[in-house]
Structure formats: structure tokens, C-alpha cells
Amino acid sequence: MNIHIIEMPLDFGASRHGSDMGPSAIRLAGLRQKLESLGHTLVKYNSPIHINPQEYEAMGNPKAKYLTPIVHACTHLAEEVASSYAANEFPLVLGGDHSIVLGSLAGVASVAKKQSKTLGVLYVDAHGDFNTSETSPSGNIHGECLAASCGFGLPELTNLYFSGQKIDPRNVCFVGTRALDAGEKKLMHEAGVTVFTMSDIERQGFPAIIKQVTTFFKTHVDIMHVSFDMDVLDPMFAPGTGIPLPAGMTNREALLLMEEMSRLGMVVSADIVEVNPILDVRNQTAILAVELAARLLGETLY
């Protein structure tokens, strides 16, 4: 497979600094070597845009902080992702905070729309990222990004790269969710997304959840994007992330999920976000990110 790795050192969407160094940490953890050892060809490995430090930019709207630079950066990312996917490459985007999914999804969606393919999203995250500027308690855009991609929120976000909805919320599936704000929870119910929380995983067991997830995508969509936020993992396994929350997924569950998504043969793009080396221990979160990417891209244990 031809893979295009895109580094997006953008941390404007979150309160805590450090995820802008995440792409470098993943690179230093051996991503290129791992993927090439699986027989893939890295056709390009780049950052599509220079991003100023957050301190050099104006915050602007306190309900959608740093809106202008985020829209600017994610529009460039969308162009890069669209070009890559249209050329039959696999765009693998390294964040950065989760606001980068605005660009990742817009880029893939633009090509899928031209090809008349139905796009689905697997959103592996402790959080919903389904607030709008009206419901967000923080005003951080990394908590508004998926809602905007589904067509809810400020027009600057919902119309990023091209006008209108990027993904039908009925084709969005969450796994590992365990921290939702009241406003976003209400909107998620109204929008019709599918959610498998950590409580669902505890009640049913992870194999049963994976079976439902694979069935969901087989019956709903033609192609899919995987968006993996490292904070879905328990801090025991991923300490280097911006919003660590207890009672998360284990490394074994996450690796199995990526392996099963690879077996589906429907994943055409992905992003891995919220690696924060400032908070990490011996780069173990970035190392796990490399292993997750490898499993998604075909690595098996035997």
C-alpha cells in the first residue's frame, strides 16, 4: 500500500499545550521503519503547513477559541488529504489535538462525494467532541470538531473546505466513550450517532462490541475513516495525552480493535491524535501509537 504520512503539529484546539510535539514523538518512535517493515511504501512524509505557536495568534471568540488559525490549518490539511486519497494513497494524519479531524474528514469526504461512496467514521475517543459553540463549557474547538463535521455548529467549521455536512452522523460509530457534556450528549442522541461506551464494553465484553462495530460498518457504508484519540486508553497504558481519564480501554483492546478494522478492508484514511510527549513516560504513548497504526495497516501477531 502507498501511504502518505501527514504531520499536523496543531494544538490550538485544546487547553493544554504539548500535542503539537506529538507528530515528532510518533516519528521518533519508529513509524516509518514499522510501516516499511510491513511492505508498505511511504510515498510522502510531510507537514502541509507552517503553524505558528499558539501564543502568536489571537484567541478570538471565547466560545470557539483560535477559530481562524484552526480553519486555516485544517483547510490546508483537507487539500492534502483529498489529493492523497484521490491518488489511491492512504492518508495517515498525525496530530496534534483532535481539531485536526476537521481537515481529515473534509478531505476524504470531498473525494468520497465525487466517487458516490458513503463514508463512515470510527471515532475512538474518551470524549464525544460533539459540542457546538452554544453548548461547549470550554470553547475549545477540539470538543466541537466532530459535531461540525456532521453539520452542527459555526458555519466557519461546518463549511470548512466545501459547503455542508462532511459525514452523516448516522454513519458515525464511537468506541470507548466515557466523558460527555450534557449538551453534546443531547445533540448526539438527536443526531443519531452510534455509541459504545466503556460501560457497554464492561457489560458485554470487548469481542461482542467489536462484532457490533464491524456489522455497523458493513451494513452502513462503503468506506471508512478511523479517528483515534490516545485519551481513549487508560492512563496506565497511555500517560502522555492531554486529558487522561481513568477506567479507559486497555492496550490489548485498542490493538485488537485496529486489527479487526484492518480485516474489514474498508478503511481508507486515519488520524491518530493527542500524543503529548510533555506528559509521557519514556515515549511509551507514542510507541503505542506506532503499534496501533501498524495493526490498522495490516500487522498481525501470527
Side-chain angles (χ1 to χ4, degrees):
M1 182 187 298
N2 290 331
I3 298 174
H4 178 186
I5 298 175
I6 306 169
E7 295 191 357
M8 278 295 288
L10 179 73
D11 70 349
F12 286 34
S15 294
R16 181 170 281 177
H17 287 320
S19 63
D20 58 326
M21 295 183 282
S24 297
I26 298 171
R27 182 180 353 109
L28 293 171
L31 181 62
R32 174 188 286 273
Q33 296 90 325
K34 171 65 82 170
L35 297 184
E36 288 180 340
S37 75
L38 297 174
H40 298 302
T41 300
L42 269 63
V43 294
K44 198 173 182 182
Y45 198 145
N46 74 312
S47 180
I49 183 172
H50 170 75
I51 299 170
N52 286 329
Q54 190 179 108
E55 292 77 13
Y56 293 1
E57 299 285 353
M59 183 180 74
N61 183 355
K63 298 299 288 181
K65 298 172 183 174
Y66 301 101
L67 177 65
T68 298
I70 288 173
V71 168
H72 177 68
C74 287
T75 299
H76 279 271
L77 175 60
E79 293 168 351
E80 194 86 0
V81 168
S83 174
S84 176
Y85 177 46
N88 295 315
E89 299 163 1
F90 187 103
L92 175 59
V93 185
L94 308 179
D97 68 62
H98 219 155
S99 65
I100 69 165
V101 79
L102 289 159
S104 301
L105 278 179
V108 177
S110 68
V111 181
K113 188 175 182 179
K114 292 174 184 176
Q115 297 177 347
S116 299
K117 292 179 179 179
T118 302
L119 175 65
V121 176
L122 175 65
Y123 211 75
V124 192
D125 196 332
H127 306 90
D129 296 350
F130 225 80
N131 276 297
T132 68
S133 60
E134 299 300 316
T135 65
S136 173
S138 67
N140 292 328
I141 289 178
H142 74 157
E144 304 176 19
C145 52
L146 187 57
S149 296
C150 290
F152 306 102
L154 294 171
E156 294 93 334
L157 298 177
T158 60
N159 294 323
L160 189 142
Y161 192 52
F162 67 88
S163 296
Q165 188 182 67
K166 309 305 183 286
I167 177 76
D168 186 332
R170 293 170 297 181
N171 296 330
V172 174
C173 181
F174 288 83
V175 175
T177 311
R178 61 188 187 277
L180 297 174
D181 299 315
E184 69 177 337
K185 186 187 295 187
K186 182 176 183 290
L187 183 57
M188 288 165 74
H189 278 290
E190 293 172 354
V193 299
T194 295
V195 182
F196 296 104
T197 68
M198 286 306 304
S199 294
D200 295 320
I201 291 171
E202 288 298 309
R203 291 190 189 100
Q204 301 180 41
F206 205 63
I209 297 297
I210 284 183
K211 185 175 182 180
Q212 292 173 75
V213 172
T214 55
T215 299
F216 175 89
F217 286 111
K218 284 179 180 178
T219 56
H220 281 69
V221 303
D222 303 312
I223 57 174
M224 55 184 291
H225 174 86
V226 171
S227 190
F228 197 105
D229 189 320
M230 296 301 288
D231 72 18
V232 77
L233 291 145
D234 192 277
M236 178 187 305
F237 305 104
T241 188
I243 309 177
L245 294 172
M249 285 171 59
T250 67
N251 53 357
R252 290 184 300 173
E253 289 168 339
L255 290 166
L256 177 60
L257 178 61
M258 292 300 95
E259 193 171 328
E260 291 300 310
M261 292 305 100
S262 178
R263 290 179 63 184
L264 266 179
M266 300 171 69
V267 181
V268 299
S269 58
D271 45 58
I272 299 176
V273 304
E274 300 285 1
V275 171
N276 189 327
I278 291 175
L279 306 172
D280 209 359
V281 179
R282 295 188 297 275
N283 213 31
Q284 70 181 77
T285 306
I287 292 168
L288 180 53
V290 170
E291 295 301 319
L292 290 165
R295 292 291 181 93
L296 183 61
L297 291 165
E299 183 180 53
T300 58
L301 294 180
Y302 185 72

